[in-house]
């Protein structure tokens, strides 16, 4: 039985991304297809890596963080180290989002205060 492989267009179509994006991730060292002439041949591990990259991007991880997670994956040794790192990144991202939410709420309060002062000033001038 032949080992499953994928062309760049197979992956682009399946994952709804451009072939340029796939080539970019390859340039970053995150994918390592074999070559048959000019044709790129992607293995299942490249497909998994690409899915991890896309998931990481959706979660707000940097490319460097995604690359680290991919490099930690070792099917022979299990993926405990990768999962522990992923949990750490999730906790950090959650903390960043919570801080951003607090910052947004504070800014909304400041906007409310500024708006109220402007309305009060307009009323005082009789132009409201």
């Amino acid at each position: 039985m032949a080992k499953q492989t994928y062309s760049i267009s197979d992956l682009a179509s399946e994952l709804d991304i451009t072939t340029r994006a796939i080539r970019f991730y390859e340039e970053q060292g995150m994918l390592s297809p074999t070559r048959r002439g000019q044709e790129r041949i992607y293995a299942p591990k490249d497909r998994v890596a690409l899915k991890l990259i896309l998931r990481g991007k959706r979660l707000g991880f940097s490319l460097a963080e995604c690359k680290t997670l991919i490099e930690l994956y070792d099917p022979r040794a299990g993926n405990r180290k990768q999962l522990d790192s992923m949990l750490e990144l999730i906790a950090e991202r959650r903390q960043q989002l919570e801080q951003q939410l607090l910052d947004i709420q504070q800014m909304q309060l400041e906007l409310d205060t500024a708006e109220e002062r402007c309305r009060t000033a307009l009323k005082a001038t009789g132009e409201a």
Side-chain angles (χ1 to χ4, degrees):
M1 186 171 134
K3 186 176 177 186
Q4 173 74 47
T5 59
Y6 308 90
S7 70
I8 194 168
S9 57
D10 291 338
L11 291 177
S13 175
E14 176 187 348
L15 301 172
D16 195 28
I17 60 174
T18 64
T19 57
R20 177 69 197 116
I22 295 171
R23 287 191 298 272
F24 173 76
Y25 298 133
E26 183 183 339
E27 290 165 9
Q28 300 302 307
M30 302 172 86
L31 303 172
S32 52
T34 57
R35 298 272 186 162
R36 187 182 314 139
Q38 289 295 312
E39 185 182 9
R40 291 169 167 86
I41 309 294
Y42 295 89
K45 70 178 180 73
D46 292 310
R47 182 175 168 267
V48 169
L50 195 49
K51 288 173 105 174
L52 282 172
I53 293 165
L54 297 174
R55 182 179 304 137
K57 282 182 56 182
R58 282 194 307 273
L59 294 173
F61 297 158
S62 70
L63 275 184
E65 290 168 329
C66 291
K67 187 174 183 178
T68 299
L69 287 172
I70 291 165
E71 289 169 351
L72 287 174
Y73 181 68
D74 182 358
R76 295 175 305 272
N79 56 357
R80 172 75 191 227
K81 201 171 188 181
Q82 183 190 41
L83 292 171
D84 286 341
S85 293
M86 180 75 166
L87 287 172
E88 250 179 65
L89 287 174
I90 288 170
E92 288 171 15
R93 184 66 181 139
R94 189 179 307 274
Q95 187 176 9
Q96 290 169 352
L97 288 171
E98 288 169 358
Q99 184 58 54
Q100 287 176 336
L101 185 56
L102 290 173
D103 292 344
I104 289 168
Q105 290 169 338
Q106 181 61 40
M107 189 176 291
Q108 286 176 321
L109 288 173
E110 290 175 19
L111 287 170
D112 290 346
T113 301
E115 180 182 32
E116 186 56 36
R117 285 182 181 159
C118 288
R119 293 191 187 287
T120 300
L122 279 174
K123 285 180 186 173
T125 61
E127 298 179 20

